[in-house]
Amino acid sequence: MISSKQLLVVCSILSSVRLSAQEELVKFGNFDSWITRSVKESVLVGGKTQTLYEVGPKGTFDGAHPYTNQGGSPWGNSNIYAKVAGVVKTNVSVYPDVHKEGQCAKLYTHLVTCKAIGVVNISALASGSIFLGTMLEPITGTSNPMSKMSMGIPFTKKPKAVKFDYKFNTPGGERIRETGFGKRQKVAGKDMGQVTCLLQKRWEDADGTIHALRIGTMCQRFSQNCEWKEGQSFTIHYGDITHESFYQESMSLMSGGSNGFYALNSKGKNVPIQEDGWAEPGETPTHIILKFDSSHGGAYVGTVGNTLWVDNVKLVY
C-alpha cells in the first residue's frame, strides 16, 4: 500500500511533467548552436575580414552572399552584410556567449565607424537585436532600418507568457542619436533593454498592404543592472488593453512609419504592417512577433555599452 509521503512524491513528479509540457522552447531558442560567416569588407573601408553570427544549426555560410535563414531557424538579427555602390561593409552587434554549460545570445549597443582611406567619415549607433523573422540582405542604404527586416513568423497558438533567462548591463550616462549623417544628438531619458511579443491576425489587401488586428501584447523593459535571472515569465495580455493600469505607450498599435514593423507581402515587397485595431480576446492569431533589443529607442538611438544577454526562450501555455 502506498504511503501518504510516497503519494506526495508521485503527485509532485506528475505536476512537474505537466508543467514542463506547458512550456515550448522556441526553435533554436537555447542559442547553443550558431552559424558563422566570414565577410571581407571592401579595401576602401579597410579591407578587414569580419565574423558575423546567426542563430541556427552549427555550421558556416558563405559570407560573400546575402544570408537567408538556414536549417529551419526562425531567428534573424542585426548582424548585417551591407553593399552600397559596390562597397561591402558589416555590422556585428549580436554574439554567442557563455551561460552555464551552454551558450546564450549577447546583444550589444555600439558605434559603427566607417573609415575611407584612413579617415573616419561615418559613425552610427547600432543596437543588438534578435527577432523572429528575416533580415533582408544585402543592406543597400542607411534610411529606415526597420524596412530591412521582415518581422514575425506564422503562428496560430495563444500562449500565456514568454519565458527566458536574461542578464542586463548598462553603463548609464549619455543617451544619443547618431545616424552617420549630421551631428550627434543627445536624447532625453534612460536607455533600456527591451523585449516585445505581439500576436497578430494579418491579411493582405489587393494593393499588397498588410493589415493586422492586435490579439496579444507583451512589452518589457530592463533598466537596472542585474546578473542572470533564470526562467523569468512575462505575461501576454489579450484584447484591448488601453484601459489597463499596466498599459504603456510602447504597447500601442502600430501605424507604419520608420519605427513600425515591416513584413514581406505576397508580391515579395517588404511593407509596413498596418494595425487597424484591437482584436477580440477569442480571436486566433496568424503571426507572432518576438524581438529582443539591447536599446529601446528605435533606430540609431541608445547608450553605447548597453548589453542584454538572453537564453532559453520559451512560450508558456
Side-chain angles (χ1 to χ4, degrees):
M1 181 158 178
I2 190 168
S3 69
S4 59
K5 185 175 182 181
Q6 289 171 320
L7 183 59
L8 284 173
V9 172
V10 170
C11 289
S12 177
I13 292 172
L14 290 175
S15 176
S16 297
V17 170
R18 285 197 297 271
L19 285 172
S20 63
Q22 294 173 346
E23 295 179 1
E24 176 187 10
L25 180 71
V26 177
K27 192 170 185 179
F28 295 107
N30 59 8
F31 305 113
D32 283 338
S33 63
W34 294 75
I35 298 167
T36 58
R37 52 181 180 143
S38 296
V39 179
K40 184 174 175 57
E41 297 181 332
S42 296
V43 173
L44 181 65
V45 291
K48 293 182 179 179
T49 298
Q50 306 285 3
T51 299
L52 279 64
Y53 304 93
E54 306 289 345
V55 180
K58 187 176 182 180
T60 59
F61 184 86
D62 186 348
H65 300 283
Y67 179 80
T68 55
N69 292 31
Q70 300 292 299
S73 174
W75 295 97
N77 69 49
S78 55
N79 293 343
I80 60 169
Y81 159 76
K83 193 171 186 179
V84 182
V87 177
V88 173
K89 185 74 175 75
T90 65
N91 168 60
V92 187
S93 52
V94 175
Y95 306 83
D97 204 353
V98 176
H99 179 216
K100 293 184 174 179
E101 294 79 24
Q103 291 182 297
C104 64
K106 176 183 177 182
L107 319 180
Y108 182 63
T109 300
H110 67 128
L111 288 174
V112 180
T113 57
C114 183
K115 299 181 180 180
I117 317 176
V119 178
V120 176
N121 54 10
I122 293 179
S123 179
L125 186 134
S127 59
S129 299
I130 57 173
F131 59 93
L132 295 180
T134 306
M135 181 68 75
L136 304 177
E137 293 186 337
I139 306 302
T140 57
T142 58
S143 63
N144 196 0
M146 294 303 295
S147 69
K148 279 70 173 178
M149 308 176 194
S150 179
M151 193 68 64
I153 61 172
F155 186 81
T156 58
K157 299 179 182 179
K158 298 182 75 173
K160 296 178 180 177
V162 181
K163 183 177 180 179
F164 52 91
D165 310 334
Y166 74 92
K167 181 172 76 167
F168 181 67
N169 183 266
T170 177
E174 190 174 66
R175 186 177 178 220
I176 62 171
R177 183 175 189 269
E178 187 153 357
T179 67
F181 301 95
K183 294 182 179 180
R184 175 183 296 184
Q185 299 173 318
K186 290 186 179 181
V187 178
K190 182 176 182 178
D191 193 20
M192 294 178 277
Q194 178 171 278
V195 55
T196 302
C197 181
L198 307 179
L199 297 173
Q200 297 176 321
K201 181 178 181 178
R202 295 184 189 175
W203 68 96
E204 183 178 330
D205 66 21
D207 296 325
T209 301
I210 294 178
H211 299 267
L213 292 177
R214 174 79 64 79
I215 292 177
T217 308
M218 186 277 284
C219 183
Q220 177 69 35
R221 290 178 175 171
F222 308 108
S223 60
Q224 301 297 324
N225 291 347
C226 66
E227 291 304 312
W228 278 103
K229 293 183 178 291
E230 314 287 343
Q232 302 296 297
S233 290
F234 300 94
T235 300
I236 298 172
H237 303 282
Y238 285 84
D240 184 349
I241 58 173
T242 53
H243 301 295
E244 301 290 347
S245 60
F246 56 77
Y247 179 76
Q248 301 175 21
E249 185 180 353
S250 59
M251 301 175 177
S252 62
L253 298 176
M254 297 180 299
S255 58
S258 60
N259 285 324
F261 292 144
Y262 285 64
L264 287 169
N265 66 13
S266 62
K267 301 173 178 24
K269 183 179 180 181
N270 210 39
V271 297
I273 302 169
Q274 175 69 50
E275 289 190 315
D276 295 336
W278 302 90
E280 293 298 322
E283 290 272 13
T284 299
T286 62
H287 289 77
I288 183 173
I289 290 172
L290 180 58
K291 186 170 186 278
F292 296 84
D293 299 289
S294 59
S295 293
H296 78 284
Y300 305 120
V301 175
T303 295
V304 174
N306 257 38
T307 311
L308 175 65
W309 290 262
V310 180
D311 203 2
N312 297 320
V313 179
K314 300 174 183 179
L315 299 173
V316 182
Y317 296 91

